[in-house]
Amino acid sequence: VDGALVYFDEMYGGRTPAEVKVIPGRYTLRIEQDGRNTSVMEVLIEPGQTQNYNLTNEALERSAGIDVMSEACEADVFLNLMHIGKTPLKRNDLPPGTHRLRLSCDGYVDRIVGVSLENKKETKVRLTLQRGDTLTYYKDPNYVVLDWTWHDVSFYTALTSLFFYAGYWKYRVQGNQTMDSIRRSFPQTAIWDIYKNATDPEGLTRFATLYQLEKMSSNRRDADIYYRYSGGSAVLGITSLFLAGYFVYLGLSADEREGGEIISSPLRYYVYSNPMEGTGIGLTYQY
């Protein structure tokens, strides 16, 4: 059948009729197409040879039935991606197997469940829709900015606290060095005063003393500025650590909403929504 998907193990090879070049070796050849059975064959690809394989995908019998009813509104019903009608709905020409069933109605949250359909049997589905916005309801609360979760934000906030910690010590050391320069100025001033008082007690002594005092005052002001920067860095670092812990708490308390459950099947569907992968349906197996 033309248009079927061709896979060698999990490697996609195109659509039939397909000519695929693969590395020699043993593969599981799989042919898939909607509405038909999946054909599987173990093949051995020899080097330097062209090998032909003809697989037949028989059409699935479409006699599975479903009876869907919803409260509050006449909802659009989708089986996988195909619109099959509005509630109340009865169909007996659907393909068997496990499918995603979605009910959608303006002003209500979409209800998504999994259904397991069998030929010549009718599966009853009774669902209640609640008012609200679908995207808001199913959005994963862990994602804060783009693809950053609360845990990512917490981690980088904690790293930021290290930056502020380094700033604290940098300005602290600069302030201490500036204060040390003031202390070294005192003996120099005293020696200068003794010398000038002995040689020129009126003019140069007064100038030198005032200059030294102004220099010490300037250094003290610089030291105060460094200490203020150091204190500000310490406050910001402590705040960053507090915020990192709070973001961890938000990440742990954020719950993931499930989009529904399989009826008469051990499989469960769930809805995911994030900036990297978009919005979609996942499938898990319940033991």
Side-chain angles (χ1 to χ4, degrees), residues 196-242:
K196 286 302 179 183
N197 282 327
T199 58
D200 186 7
E202 295 183 359
L204 292 177
T205 300
R206 186 179 298 107
F207 171 78
T209 301
L210 292 175
Y211 174 79
Q212 288 291 339
L213 292 176
E214 176 60 27
K215 183 66 175 176
M216 288 187 290
S217 177
S218 175
N219 288 348
R220 185 175 289 107
R221 288 194 298 270
D222 291 341
D224 290 339
I225 292 174
Y226 289 137
Y227 286 143
R228 284 198 295 270
Y229 286 166
S230 175
S233 297
V235 171
L236 291 175
I238 294 173
T239 303
S240 297
L241 287 176
F242 172 78

Side-chain angles (χ1 to χ4, degrees), residues 62-103:
R62 301 170 65 95
S63 61
I66 193 170
D67 179 4
V68 185
M69 294 187 66
S70 64
E71 299 180 6
C73 68
E74 294 183 359
D76 290 297
V77 182
F78 296 85
L79 189 69
N80 299 327
L81 299 178
M82 179 178 64
H83 183 264
I84 60 174
K86 286 180 173 287
T87 57
L89 173 70
K90 280 194 175 186
R91 293 280 297 266
N92 58 6
D93 58 346
L94 301 176
T98 301
H99 305 276
R100 181 193 67 178
L101 186 73
R102 177 168 66 93
L103 272 64

Side-chain angles (χ1 to χ4, degrees), residues 26 38 115 119 126-127 146 151 195 206 210 213 260 267-268 276 280:
R26 190 176 298 277
T38 298
V115 292
N119 283 329
R126 302 291 183 264
L127 297 175
L146 298 179
H151 300 293
Y195 172 75
R206 186 179 298 107
L210 292 175
L213 292 176
L267 296 174
R268 289 178 65 87
M276 296 296 292

Side-chain angles (χ1 to χ4, degrees), residues 46-249:
E46 301 288 348
Q49 296 184 12
T50 299
Q51 298 169 231
N52 297 318
Y53 298 98
N54 294 317
L55 284 79
T56 302
N57 286 19
E58 296 181 356
L60 292 173
E61 181 184 357
R62 301 170 65 95
S63 61
I66 193 170
D67 179 4
V68 185
M69 294 187 66
S70 64
E71 299 180 6
C73 68
E74 294 183 359
D76 290 297
V77 182
F78 296 85
L79 189 69
N80 299 327
L81 299 178
M82 179 178 64
H83 183 264
I84 60 174
K86 286 180 173 287
T87 57
L89 173 70
K90 280 194 175 186
R91 293 280 297 266
N92 58 6
D93 58 346
L94 301 176
T98 301
H99 305 276
R100 181 193 67 178
L101 186 73
R102 177 168 66 93
L103 272 64
S104 179
C105 185
D106 290 341
Y108 292 84
V109 176
D110 286 7
R111 187 70 186 275
I112 305 170
V113 298
V115 292
S116 181
L117 304 182
E118 298 181 25
N119 283 329
K120 304 185 185 308
K121 290 186 178 181
E122 183 180 80
T123 300
K124 295 182 181 294
V125 181
R126 302 291 183 264
L127 297 175
T128 301
L129 303 181
Q130 68 180 58
R131 290 191 176 276
D133 179 70
T134 300
L135 292 180
T136 301
Y137 181 83
Y138 285 119
K139 180 182 178 182
D140 188 342
N142 269 310
Y143 288 93
V144 186
V145 180
L146 298 179
D147 60 337
W148 283 31
T149 66
W150 284 117
H151 300 293
D152 296 328
V153 175
S154 173
F155 174 74
Y156 289 110
T157 304
L159 287 183
T160 303
S161 69
L162 296 179
F163 169 79
F164 289 126
Y165 181 73
Y168 164 79
W169 279 110
K170 174 181 181 296
Y171 292 121
R172 190 74 182 176
V173 169
Q174 286 182 322
N176 291 339
Q177 290 175 344
T178 304
M179 290 299 294
D180 288 341
S181 68
I182 295 175
R183 298 185 185 99
R184 290 194 297 268
S185 299
F186 282 107
Q188 295 173 5
T189 302
I191 294 173
W192 179 261
D193 288 344
I194 293 173
Y195 172 75
K196 286 302 179 183
N197 282 327
T199 58
D200 186 7
E202 295 183 359
L204 292 177
T205 300
R206 186 179 298 107
F207 171 78
T209 301
L210 292 175
Y211 174 79
Q212 288 291 339
L213 292 176
E214 176 60 27
K215 183 66 175 176
M216 288 187 290
S217 177
S218 175
N219 288 348
R220 185 175 289 107
R221 288 194 298 270
D222 291 341
D224 290 339
I225 292 174
Y226 289 137
Y227 286 143
R228 284 198 295 270
Y229 286 166
S230 175
S233 297
V235 171
L236 291 175
I238 294 173
T239 303
S240 297
L241 287 176
F242 172 78
L243 290 176
Y246 180 64
F247 293 150
V248 169
Y249 166 76

Side-chain angles (χ1 to χ4, degrees), residues 258 260 262 265-270 281-287:
E258 290 190 354
I262 291 292
S265 172
L267 296 174
R268 289 178 65 87
Y269 282 97
Y270 63 93
I281 303 297
L283 185 66
T284 59
Y285 193 92
Q286 300 294 310
Y287 294 95

